[in-house]
Amino acid sequence: MSHVGLVLTGGGARAAYQVGAIRALSEIVPRGTQPFDILSGISAGAINAVALGTLHDDFHRAAERLLSTWSELTPDRVYRTGAWRLARIGSRWLRDLSTGGLIGRSINYLLDPAPLRELIEKELLFGRMRHHVRAGRLRGVAVSATNYNTGNGVTFFEAAPDVQPWTRSTRIGIRARIGADHVMASSAIPVFFPPVPIGGSYFGDGCVRMYYPMSPAIHLGAEKIVAISQRYLPPAESAAREGRSNGDAPPPMPMSEIAGVLLNAVVLDTLDSDVERLNRINRTLALVPRSKLESGDADVRPLPALVLRPSQDLGKLAADEYHRFPAMLRYLLGGIGATGHAGEDLLSYLAFEPIYVRRVMELGYADTIARRDELADFLQLPQRQPARARA
């Protein structure tokens, strides 16, 4: 049996799309079947990856547990939403900007994710995940974060004994006992959430330096990969139309729009670049004689990958729920121009509102079910038998 990796990238509240897709996958694969023995998560995807690892013995139950947990999410279960707490953090930002950080300790985050840590420590049973790895049922789990002291992308992994640590130019893989700190660090969106100290260094969102998000799964031994993206790709003609100009000077762009583009570049775009690179390598290897590849002379191998992605723009869905954000958070975000459809991409990362989460999960489910046959063929699942006609 080949090793199949599941790669889950970041996106804050957008990661609800992964949950809907996983729910659909649990209906596509036969009950009792575990389609993935390698789980790699980055940013919010790290939370979902570890959650699947803890219930690796029952993929269907793991999907239901993820669905239940995300369905109950509200902003105050992810970050502190009290007006006093948000105002206090906001006032410290203003103080640092006006005094140059000369008064008191400077602050490097906007939101306090203490509720998220409590949720992670309650819901993620790291010992159970570790047990599945040691028993050989789960080949490996990887959680990636960014070391703010060195600038390197660091992948912490628990895996089979034959998996070796790795070193590349800007990323390394370290065998570690994965816990809440690693998951919190991986999902610490820059500026919004504070860096997390681990082993003498501060770590933040893994997407910042993980230019090759499929790399950890490959290092763990994946022979094929299913990746779930939260990036919507508009039709080519729509993208071309948006790029045209009528010659008039555009209105001033608010800071929230710029921040949204930067976050998308950091969190969403790298997976597509990695897939394009992998497809080019696969096409090149198809020209190499099989005997050369099997001899081991070339330290490369073809690796099929299938990417699931949203059929709608998740940013636009978040804009519809802006009025439900905590009042003080709306006030603070409004200061940089995030007012609903202005700054919608930025808002989508924080939109842990039940209605938005549900809509995104439903979209992930529908998009994945629509590719049922493609997934069954890719994962080499048993063919569904046609229903028998009743006498």
Side-chain angles (χ1 to χ4, degrees):
M1 179 180 176
S2 61
H3 298 299
V4 183
L6 178 65
V7 174
L8 304 175
T9 55
R14 290 171 176 246
Y17 185 85
Q18 299 170 358
V19 179
I22 289 166
R23 178 193 169 205
L25 282 165
S26 74
E27 296 182 9
I28 292 171
V29 303
R31 184 166 288 277
T33 300
Q34 175 51 258
F36 310 106
D37 65 341
I38 293 172
L39 303 168
S40 176
I42 308 172
S43 194
I47 300 174
N48 291 336
V50 172
L52 290 177
T54 64
L55 292 173
H56 185 73
D57 52 334
D58 192 333
F59 183 64
H60 292 75
R61 187 158 67 97
E64 292 173 359
R65 182 69 178 270
L66 261 181
L67 180 68
S68 174
T69 300
W70 275 81
S71 297
E72 296 173 357
L73 277 187
T74 53
D76 60 357
R77 297 194 71 192
V78 180
Y79 47 85
R80 288 180 175 164
T81 59
W84 180 86
R85 180 60 176 169
L86 288 173
R88 185 167 179 266
I89 293 175
S91 65
R92 290 178 65 185
W93 271 91
L94 291 174
R95 182 202 67 191
D96 291 344
L97 288 172
S98 60
T99 65
L102 297 176
I103 301 177
R105 293 183 60 185
S106 61
I107 192 168
N108 54 15
Y109 61 94
L110 181 63
L111 301 173
D112 181 355
L116 178 60
R117 175 177 283 275
E118 294 174 8
L119 183 66
I120 286 172
E121 292 176 346
K122 175 185 175 183
E123 296 290 335
L124 299 186
L125 306 178
F126 295 97
R128 183 176 293 179
M129 177 194 74
R130 198 164 293 119
H131 173 73
H132 293 315
V133 173
R134 291 173 178 169
R137 290 186 291 269
L138 183 57
R139 177 163 175 81
V141 179
V143 170
S144 299
T146 299
N147 186 322
Y148 284 148
N149 293 87
T150 66
N152 286 330
V154 180
T155 297
F156 302 99
F157 68 88
E158 294 198 39
D162 63 296
V163 177
Q164 298 299 314
W166 61 89
T167 300
R168 297 294 183 268
S169 60
T170 59
R171 52 194 166 88
I172 60 175
I174 300 174
R175 187 179 290 273
R177 187 180 177 88
I178 295 175
D181 282 344
H182 301 93
V183 177
M184 285 295 296
S186 182
S187 55
I189 302 173
V191 179
F192 286 111
F193 294 157
V196 177
I198 300 175
S201 294
Y202 279 99
F203 288 82
D205 197 302
C207 291
V208 173
R209 292 294 280 175
M210 186 51 67
Y211 303 140
Y212 306 97
M214 292 190 292
S215 170
I218 296 172
H219 280 289
L220 295 184
E223 295 165 283
K224 59 174 60 176
I225 289 174
V226 173
I228 304 179
S229 171
Q230 285 80 251
R231 181 171 182 250
Y232 167 70
L233 293 180
E237 62 274 13
S238 173
R241 188 165 54 250
E242 290 179 1
R244 299 193 189 103
S245 172
N246 59 10
D248 297 333
M253 177 172 284
M255 179 64 70
S256 60
E257 293 280 357
I258 298 172
V261 171
L262 291 175
L263 270 179
N264 286 348
V266 168
V267 176
L268 303 182
D269 296 351
T270 53
L271 178 60
D272 291 292
S273 299
D274 203 15
V275 170
E276 289 180 356
R277 187 180 301 105
L278 180 66
N279 288 337
R280 286 199 301 271
I281 293 173
N282 285 339
R283 288 194 296 269
T284 301
L285 292 179
L287 305 176
V288 179
R290 182 182 295 270
S291 59
K292 288 286 187 182
L293 295 177
E294 293 178 347
S295 68
D297 293 341
D299 188 23
V300 288
R301 54 187 168 89
L303 198 152
L306 186 152
V307 180
L308 303 172
R309 68 174 65 257
S311 58
Q312 298 179 41
D313 190 328
L314 302 186
K316 296 187 184 305
L317 293 181
D320 296 337
E321 309 305 326
Y322 174 71
H323 65 285
R324 300 179 187 275
F325 277 47
M328 182 56 70
L329 182 59
R330 290 203 310 270
Y331 174 77
L332 293 175
L333 292 175
I336 57 172
T339 58
H341 287 283
E344 57 192 20
D345 283 331
L346 175 65
L347 296 173
S348 68
Y349 290 88
L350 302 176
F352 292 96
E353 292 292 342
I355 293 179
Y356 177 73
V357 169
R358 185 177 71 247
R359 291 178 66 185
V360 173
M361 288 194 298
E362 289 172 351
L363 183 64
Y365 175 85
D367 288 345
T368 305
I369 284 292
R371 299 176 67 179
R372 175 193 293 268
D373 293 338
E374 182 183 3
L375 279 160
D377 181 62
F378 184 81
L379 296 172
Q380 298 180 319
L381 301 176
Q383 293 294 318
R384 289 180 294 164
Q385 298 297 320
R388 295 182 179 179
R390 294 186 177 180

Short mmCIF file of all heavy atoms in Angstrom, two decimals, residues 80-89 328:
data_model
loop_
_atom_site.label_atom_id
_atom_site.label_comp_id
_atom_site.label_asym_id
_atom_site.label_seq_id
_atom_site.Cartn_x
_atom_site.Cartn_y
_atom_site.Cartn_z
N ARG A 80 -9.86 36.63 22.65
CA ARG A 80 -10.66 37.38 23.62
C ARG A 80 -11.32 38.57 22.94
O ARG A 80 -10.65 39.39 22.33
CB ARG A 80 -9.79 37.83 24.79
CG ARG A 80 -9.39 36.67 25.70
CD ARG A 80 -8.54 37.12 26.85
NE ARG A 80 -8.28 36.01 27.78
CZ ARG A 80 -7.34 36.00 28.70
NH1 ARG A 80 -6.56 37.07 28.83
NH2 ARG A 80 -7.18 34.97 29.50
N THR A 81 -12.64 38.63 23.07
CA THR A 81 -13.40 39.65 22.35
C THR A 81 -13.94 40.74 23.26
O THR A 81 -14.63 41.64 22.79
CB THR A 81 -14.59 38.98 21.61
OG1 THR A 81 -15.42 38.32 22.58
CG2 THR A 81 -14.10 37.98 20.59
N GLY A 82 -13.66 40.66 24.56
CA GLY A 82 -14.15 41.68 25.47
C GLY A 82 -13.68 43.06 25.08
O GLY A 82 -12.52 43.24 24.68
N ALA A 83 -14.57 44.05 25.19
CA ALA A 83 -14.24 45.42 24.78
C ALA A 83 -13.03 45.94 25.56
O ALA A 83 -12.16 46.60 24.99
CB ALA A 83 -15.45 46.33 24.98
N TRP A 84 -12.98 45.64 26.86
CA TRP A 84 -11.87 46.14 27.66
C TRP A 84 -10.55 45.57 27.19
O TRP A 84 -9.56 46.30 27.05
CB TRP A 84 -12.09 45.78 29.14
CG TRP A 84 -10.98 46.28 30.04
CD1 TRP A 84 -10.88 47.51 30.61
CD2 TRP A 84 -9.80 45.57 30.43
NE1 TRP A 84 -9.71 47.62 31.34
CE2 TRP A 84 -9.03 46.45 31.26
CE3 TRP A 84 -9.31 44.28 30.18
CZ2 TRP A 84 -7.82 46.06 31.81
CZ3 TRP A 84 -8.10 43.90 30.73
CH2 TRP A 84 -7.37 44.78 31.54
N ARG A 85 -10.51 44.25 26.91
CA ARG A 85 -9.26 43.61 26.48
C ARG A 85 -8.81 44.14 25.12
O ARG A 85 -7.64 44.47 24.93
CB ARG A 85 -9.45 42.09 26.43
CG ARG A 85 -8.21 41.30 25.99
CD ARG A 85 -7.05 41.52 26.93
NE ARG A 85 -5.90 40.71 26.57
CZ ARG A 85 -4.70 40.87 27.10
NH1 ARG A 85 -4.49 41.79 28.02
NH2 ARG A 85 -3.69 40.11 26.72
N LEU A 86 -9.74 44.24 24.17
CA LEU A 86 -9.39 44.74 22.84
C LEU A 86 -8.95 46.20 22.91
O LEU A 86 -8.00 46.61 22.24
CB LEU A 86 -10.58 44.59 21.90
CG LEU A 86 -10.92 43.16 21.46
CD1 LEU A 86 -12.23 43.13 20.68
CD2 LEU A 86 -9.79 42.56 20.61
N ALA A 87 -9.65 46.99 23.75
CA ALA A 87 -9.28 48.40 23.87
C ALA A 87 -7.90 48.55 24.50
O ALA A 87 -7.11 49.43 24.11
CB ALA A 87 -10.33 49.13 24.71
N ARG A 88 -7.58 47.68 25.46
CA ARG A 88 -6.28 47.76 26.13
C ARG A 88 -5.15 47.45 25.15
O ARG A 88 -4.14 48.15 25.12
CB ARG A 88 -6.25 46.77 27.30
CG ARG A 88 -4.98 46.84 28.14
CD ARG A 88 -5.18 46.06 29.44
NE ARG A 88 -3.97 46.09 30.25
CZ ARG A 88 -3.04 45.14 30.23
NH1 ARG A 88 -3.19 44.08 29.45
NH2 ARG A 88 -1.97 45.24 30.99
N ILE A 89 -5.34 46.41 24.33
CA ILE A 89 -4.32 46.08 23.33
C ILE A 89 -4.20 47.21 22.31
O ILE A 89 -3.10 47.63 21.94
CB ILE A 89 -4.66 44.75 22.64
CG1 ILE A 89 -4.56 43.59 23.63
CG2 ILE A 89 -3.73 44.51 21.44
CD1 ILE A 89 -4.98 42.24 23.06
N MET A 328 -15.90 46.16 19.25
CA MET A 328 -14.59 46.78 19.43
C MET A 328 -13.62 46.35 18.33
O MET A 328 -12.80 47.14 17.85
CB MET A 328 -14.01 46.44 20.80
CG MET A 328 -12.65 47.09 21.08
SD MET A 328 -12.64 48.89 20.93
CE MET A 328 -13.63 49.34 22.36
#
